[in-house]
Each structure stands twice: as structure tokens, then as C-alpha cells.
Amino acid sequence: MVVEELNAKPLFSEHELHEPFMKAIVNHMDEGIVVYNTAGKPLFYNYAVQRLGLVEGEHDACVYYHSDGQTLLGEEEKPFRRVLAGQRVQGEEIWAVRKGRPVVILQIRGFPVYGERGELLGALMLFEDISNRKWAEQRMEVSEQRYKSLFEHHPDIVCWVDLQGVLIQTNDAARHISGYDPEQLQRRRLSSLIAVEDRTRARDHFHAARQGKSQSYEIRALHRDGRRLDLHVTNIPMYVGGQIVGIYMVAKDVSQEKRTESTAHFLAFHDPLTALPNRRSFHEHLTELLDKARVCGDEVAVMFLDLDRFKLINDTLGHAAGDRLLQLISMRLKQGLHRKYELFRLGGDEFTVVLPSTTCEQAAEVAGQIVRLLSASFPMEDHELHITASIGISMFPCDGDDVDAMIRHADMAMYRAKEYGKNTYQFYTSDLNEISQKKMRLEKELFRALEHDELTLHYQPQCQAGELALTGVEALVRWQHPVEGFIPPSEFIPFAEETGLIVPLGRWVLRTVCARHMQWRQEGCIPVKIAVNLSVRQFQDEGLVELVKEALHESGMEPAYLELEITESIAMINFDYVNTKLTQLKELGVSIAIDDFGTGYSSLSYLKKFSIDKLKIDQSFVRDLTTNEVNYSIVKAIIAMGKSLNVSLIAEGVETEVQMHRLRELGCEHIQGYWYSRPLTAEQLQERFLQRRASSGQRERERLD
Ligand code: C2E
Ligand code: MG
Ligand code: MG
């Protein structure tokens, strides 16, 4: 037997190797040996083959499969057949499936055996059991695949970083989340992907992981497009053979959660409409500031800002317009005020401004600045809106020691500013406490006054400039309080407007005026036109037209003798509404005058659209008409404008003869004021004007008509 290539350099020559040795070698070999004759019958096999259970007697004791473990080997495909057919079999893998025993994987080599004359004697087949190695390899592969699946398909970023902080491998999620392709990430320094402000912290965690500490933390990273990502990172040391050879980083993208969290936080402390900090922020901010100020001995100012007539805008232009206006106001104030002054929206039309480390003078300056900032109109969809604000200021520590006292006092001061004609600011003074209590009391009492006839009407005569003849009167309400005495309308009309009491009050005035007119007529007096004041709140009242109609009807007064005075603030109300109401009133036969003209913001174009009969030039222009050039020009312009609109003109508050002459020169036809007469009681008026002229009644009536 020739053992081909069994040993490159045989120790013994063929003849020297005695059979017992040969047998010992063959039988003690780990490798299985089978010798087949040319007919494919096993002639010989060693112990290893027996052990492996491959051959039994003259037959194969197992079934052979290809190395895939699935396909059976055909007879001709069997390795010894192929060797007998002259092929070489060198290290092929096949599976041997044995009865009742585990599958064994064999590595097979085969050699043809030739006789001395070169004739084929058989095939020598060598079988090595490589099952253990194979199974180990397969196990490795499975675990590798499992790991790979975990790595590749993990929804979070998983990356392998070497101990120098260089990225070695990244998964697919890394590409999705960071925007970088894997090639761009490979060999990249990890720190270059972390937001600058978080790099030191990231480095500390990385060092800890290198020391074997697995840690989790949150960090901001940079997306490829420059945006920041919030990541929740866990560093896991990578051990091989007990040594840390790298770090696994698992990073979850928590940007969305962070955003939701910060939105929730934002909403808790901000007003969603204007994005300004809200009442809660205001409380916290002020508490903190007062604590600090207590220690440092600083002064702090709190400003309470309330928009004048905002409710009117909301009610007439709608809430969307109101909201838009609030946004524009917030923006203007935010941009106009110094950054160190914090602006808050408490709700509705209430804002606060907090001034840290300040003085009364500075606070006054800032309040003045706010008034100026608001003075320019606000562009709305189809028109411009004018709005003013009343501001109350309280100073820490003199006006209050804690947040509540500061707010309460600033609020009281704000109400004082409203009483002073709005569009202004007021500081808190200790007497305001008393005043606000008095106001609350008065509010209740006004209600009672209406029921108990404590209100009365005075009538202020009007005449033609340069002549002393009475041309009309204006009815002015008075309150004769049983304890407080006489209370002027400027004190109770504003809060009658606030509380809505103005509506029943106005009804009373109108009915009283009509009744009085009829009474005078019955007593033979000369009838004159009587003007009645209507506040905006009354004008908005749905029942106004009906009320006027009723009052005229019930009393029998001719509508031509009734004049209704409205103010320019109606310009704030929805145009269509004003137009409809004015038309309806005019249809009743009454005339309409614009009171206090020149103090509001109504534009000429706006007024032109309505059928107005009269403009009453406000007394503030008349007061220093003779000394103030500006006022002189304004009055002149108003008169010219009135003439062009073909409305009659009357000047209010005329106190001197010089003023009267000047007005007459300018072309103002009528005047009203102390120079001609103070407001009179009904009896005084009757006595001094109406009755005395009874004789010339016809002439007066002609003038009136
Ligand atoms: P108004 O309608 O502009 O009335 C003119 C005000 O000027 C009156 O003040 C009158 O007394 C005052 N006055 C008249 N001539 C002179 C003058 O020569 N010099 C000065 N310094 N003042 C003069 P009064 O009566 O205090 O009324 C104040 C305001 O209260 C009125 O201003 C009007 O807006 C409102 N008011 C009065 N009565 C009523 C009413 O029945 N209903 C409504 N809604 N408001 C009323
Ligand atoms: Mg008036
Ligand atoms: Mg007036």
C-alpha cells in the first residue's frame, strides 16, 4: 500500500515499516481512515471510523449530506466514488447523519491507491471530525448576527467609539438622527458632534466609561444641518478579555420630548396670546426681586397698566380684533422698553411692568414712555385703532412690603389714573386706600340715588356769538348726596359707565329732559333746543333708539327740540353699527352733536361718513385760545373743517369776552360757557331766560328752527 503524501519526509522506507507499527499508527490516529476497493466496498477502516460510526461491516453506516446539511449526497457524489473516478478530494466538508447519534461534520480527503504497475487498486479516504469547531463557529456566527441585529436595528443611535474618542462604527439610526452618512461619521472625533457648551461634560462621562463606569446623561448634539438635538446617552464600556477596548454609546433622541416639556413649561409661565410672561411669572419674579431688594436696600417699582376702553373695542370690533390689538401692544411695549424692565400680561387688558433697582423719577419716566409708545395708532385690518392706557405705580419699600400690597396699591393708583381722565399715570398715595373704599361705597349709593331722586339736572344756556339771545341749553346731571353733598358728574359718570349704571341713569336724564321741556311749554316759556349727553356705553345699548322714541312719544316733545351729544370715542365702535344707529336716530327727527371735539382721535374722513349736525369745540382749546398759538390754529382748522362739512359749530367753556370775540372772528356761530351763563337749575333757567323772553317767543322760535 502506498500512502501518498502521508508524510513529506518519511522516517522509514516502505520496506522498513513493519506491519505492527503500521497497524498501531493507523488505529491510533484521530483521523478516520477507510480504504475502498474499486468496487466501492470498504476493505479496511480504522478505530476512529468505528468510533465515528461511519462504516459497519462492508457498508456505510450513515447517510451523507452536502455541507449545507440539507441535500443528500447522491451515490456518485460520494467522495470515495469520485476518488475512484479519478478526482481528488481535498478537505471537503460533508455531514454524516448517523442513526441515534448526533450529526457529525467531517472534513474529507481522498486519494487513489495504485498498484505497482500503476493500476487502480482502490481509494484511501481520510475523515476528520470537525463538528466541534464547526458548531463553535456557527454559534459565533449566530451570536454575531444577534449582536449585529441589535446594533443595526436599534432605534436609537448605537456607536462604537475607541478609547481615544474616535467613532469606529455607527448604526443606521445614527444616520437618521444625525443626518450624517456612516462614512462621514467613521473616524470622526465624537466631540466634534457635541454642542460646544456640553463638550466638557461629555468628556467627563467618556473618561468615566473608560474607567469602567457605565453612565447615562443628557446632552445636546449637533445635527448635520446645524440644529440641536437633545440626546439621552448611555456609555457602556466594551470588555474583551477582561480589558476595556472601547466604548459603546447608546443615544436616544429626546428632542421632541424636550420640546414638549419646554412648551408645557413655557405655557405654565407665559400667556399664549402675547407670549409675555404671565401672572404666575409675575408673582415669582416680583417675590424674588423684593427678597433681593430687601437685602440690598434697593427700590423696586411695580406698574399696573390697564388699557382704556378696551372692553369697548372687544365688544364692538370682536374678540379677534381685540386679541390682535393686545398682540400689537405687547410687541410695541416689548420693543420699546429697556430689556431690564420686565413686562407681563396678567390677563384681559391688564399688563404689569417691574422695574428693579429704580427710583420714583425713573419710574415716572418709564410710565411716560409707555404712554408715548401707545400714542401712535395701531394698524388693524381695515382701519387704524387708537388706544390709551392708565398706569398705576407702587414703589417698594415705601408703598408696600410684599407682593400683594404692591399689586393692590399699583392697582388703586391705576384707578386713580383712570379717574384723572385716562391716558396717564399715577403713583400710589396712602389716601388711595380711603378713596377706593369711598368709591365702592359711592357705587352702591349711586344705585340708590337713582331710586331716591337724589339726581337732578342743571341746564347750561348757549347763545349766538356776539348776541345775548338764548339759542339752546345743555342738560347736565348733578348728584346731591345726602352726606357727601354735591358730587360732580366727572366723579360718578365714569364709574356709572364702568358698572353699566349709566344706562338707567341716561334713561332718567332723557325722560326728565323731555318732561321738563313739556312743562316749560305748558307754562308758556319759549321752547329751546335741549342737548342731552350720551356716553359711548349708552350709545352701544341696543335699546337706545327705542328709548329716545318712547321718551319723545310719552312726553309729546317735538324731536326737533332734542339734540343728542355723543363723543368722538364712538369712532372706536364698529362703523356699520354707528351708522345704523345714527341714521335711526336722525329718522326720529332729533339732531346729533359731537361733544368735546378735538380731544379724541376720530379722523375727519370718519366723521364725514355720518350725518352730524353740530361740532362742539372742546373747552381745552378755547381756554387759552388767546394766548396759545397752537390752540388758536386748531380752533381755526376745526371751524374751517366744520364749514366745509356744513355742520354748525359751538365752542364750549367760553369764559371771557375776548374769547367770545375771537371765536366770532373765526366764524364760530355759537358759544356756551361761564361768560354767558353757568349751568342753572330748571327754575333759574326758566326765570332768567325762558320766561323773560316769552314776549319775543316767536322770534326765538324762528332762530331755533
Ligand atoms: P360736557 O358735556 O362737555 O359738559 C360741559 C362741561 O363743562 C360741564 O361740566 C360744564 O359745567 C362745564 N363748563 C361749561 N362752561 C364752562 C366754562 O366756561 N368753564 C369751565 N371750566 N367749565 C365749563 P359738568 O357739568 O361737570 O359735566 C362734566 C361732564 O359730565 C360733561 O361734559 C359730560 O361729558 C358729562 N355729563 C354731564 N351730564 C351728563 C349726562 O346726563 N349724561 C352723560 N352721559 N354725561 C354727562
Ligand atoms: Mg356735553
Ligand atoms: Mg363738552
Side-chain angles (χ1 to χ4, degrees), residues 384-404:
E384 305 258 304
L385 260 187
H386 285 274
I387 188 105
T388 56
S390 300
I391 304 168
I393 310 167
S394 61
M395 297 294 299
F396 174 88
C398 58
D399 296 341
D401 191 40
D402 58 19
V403 174
D404 287 342

Side-chain angles (χ1 to χ4, degrees), residues 460 474 477-478 489 533 538 595-596 619 652-653 655 673-674 679:
Q460 186 171 32
E474 178 179 3
V477 70
R478 302 284 179 262
N533 290 284
Q538 285 170 273
D595 200 359
D596 304 340
Q619 49 182 282
E652 291 183 278
E655 293 184 351
Y674 296 166

